Amino acid sequence: MVADALVYHPSVAHYLKFVATTVGRDKLLRTLQYFSRFYAWYLLRTNASQASIAPFEAIKKNFGLSRKLMRVGKNIEHFKAAAVASDTANLDPVLRYTAVGRQLGYAMYLSFDAITYLDSAGIRPSESIKRLQKEAYKAWLAGLLCSTVSGVYTLYRLRQRDLSIDKKDGEGVVESKKIARERAATNMQLVSDLCDITIPGSALGYVNLDDGLVGIAGTISSLIGVYTTWKKTA
């Protein structure tokens, strides 16, 4: 039957594995949140009615709040990752230090972000909410900058490896293909990081970007996150 073919199709099983992960659901919500941010800006710029803009503003706000709650407690994961990276003695020093910086940045961001949830949800308003949110954005930006440096350095090392192999040799061909896959993954992560930098950078006033550009950048990085998470759950 057609119904059975659909229910037992491998893509359905893959989708269920994807949405069963917190990361998978977060990336989907994030994509909708930032696209709504862009589209609300677009409608405003094209003189659309407030009734047309309101649904997308609501999606941006409510999905952002939902994601904030889903992130509570995730800071522990990044503190642990920072400790593991710090203890990895055989890792390249640049990659080790940037990994520690990235994980600590994300951990501090999530710590401050969790504190701001009570105010954002209207449970317990706080007078220091703006300062805490600012510190959260600073920590996130620091983590993203460390990740960007790591990505650029990784691309440099991959280029050096690629130049040193003999592509006429069988093992060299295999190694070259491996390098190509690593380069593609690094490039994708680098694009994601550069897109994400616009979010805290704009919020802190370091760069003057409108909601349209930030929304598009956030949508692109979110779609990259959806893609990578989808592949991991295959």
Side-chain angles (χ1 to χ4, degrees):
M1 293 176 64
V2 176
D4 288 338
L6 290 174
V7 169
Y8 294 105
H9 195 277
S11 295
V12 175
H14 188 180
Y15 167 77
L16 292 175
K17 286 175 65 179
F18 175 79
V19 296
T21 64
T22 304
V23 175
R25 295 193 301 273
D26 176 72
K27 296 304 181 185
L28 288 175
L29 290 176
R30 191 179 194 270
T31 301
L32 294 172
Q33 176 192 352
Y34 279 99
F35 178 77
S36 295
R37 181 170 179 172
F38 159 74
Y39 201 60
W41 170 86
Y42 171 77
L43 291 174
L44 182 65
R45 289 293 297 270
T46 54
N47 297 318
S49 66
Q50 189 58 40
S52 300
I53 299 172
F56 297 99
E57 289 286 358
I59 290 173
K60 179 180 72 173
K61 179 181 178 182
N62 291 309
F63 281 21
L65 188 60
S66 298
R67 291 183 56 243
K68 189 184 285 284
L69 179 59
M70 290 169 63
R71 292 193 298 265
V72 172
K74 191 173 172 60
N75 55 333
I76 305 301
E77 174 187 331
H78 290 283
F79 278 125
K80 180 181 178 181
V84 170
S86 178
D87 291 338
T88 309
N90 61 341
L91 191 63
D92 181 286
V94 175
L95 295 179
R96 184 171 60 168
Y97 294 141
T98 52
V100 171
R102 177 176 69 248
Q103 297 298 342
L104 285 178
Y106 293 163
M108 292 305 298
Y109 161 65
L110 291 168
S111 298
F112 285 120
D113 189 63
I115 296 172
T116 65
Y117 175 76
L118 294 177
D119 180 274
S120 300
I123 298 172
R124 186 175 181 179
S126 172
E127 295 180 358
S128 59
I129 184 65
K130 290 184 178 180
R131 180 180 61 81
L132 290 170
Q133 192 64 65
K134 188 175 181 179
E135 295 302 321
Y137 280 130
K138 285 181 179 179
W140 185 17
L141 182 59
L144 288 169
L145 290 174
C146 286
S147 185
T148 301
V149 171
S150 176
V152 172
Y153 182 71
T154 299
L155 290 176
Y156 167 76
R157 293 187 69 205
L158 289 173
R159 184 173 181 275
Q160 296 302 308
R161 278 174 56 193
D162 194 41
L163 291 174
S164 66
I165 63 176
D166 182 7
K167 297 181 182 178
K168 295 179 181 178
D169 181 64
E171 291 184 4
V173 172
V174 173
E175 181 67 14
S176 180
K177 290 181 179 179
K178 180 181 177 182
I179 290 172
R181 289 194 296 270
E182 291 180 20
R183 183 184 291 117
T186 303
N187 278 326
M188 186 172 293
Q189 183 59 51
L190 190 57
V191 170
S192 178
D193 290 337
L194 291 173
C195 286
D196 279 343
I197 282 174
T198 64
I199 302 169
S202 176
L204 291 167
Y206 295 159
V207 289
N208 186 22
L209 302 174
D210 57 42
D211 265 13
L213 187 54
V214 174
I216 282 292
T219 302
I220 292 171
S221 65
S222 299
L223 288 172
I224 291 173
V226 169
Y227 173 75
T228 55
T229 306
W230 180 265
K231 286 186 67 178
K232 288 179 181 177
T233 54

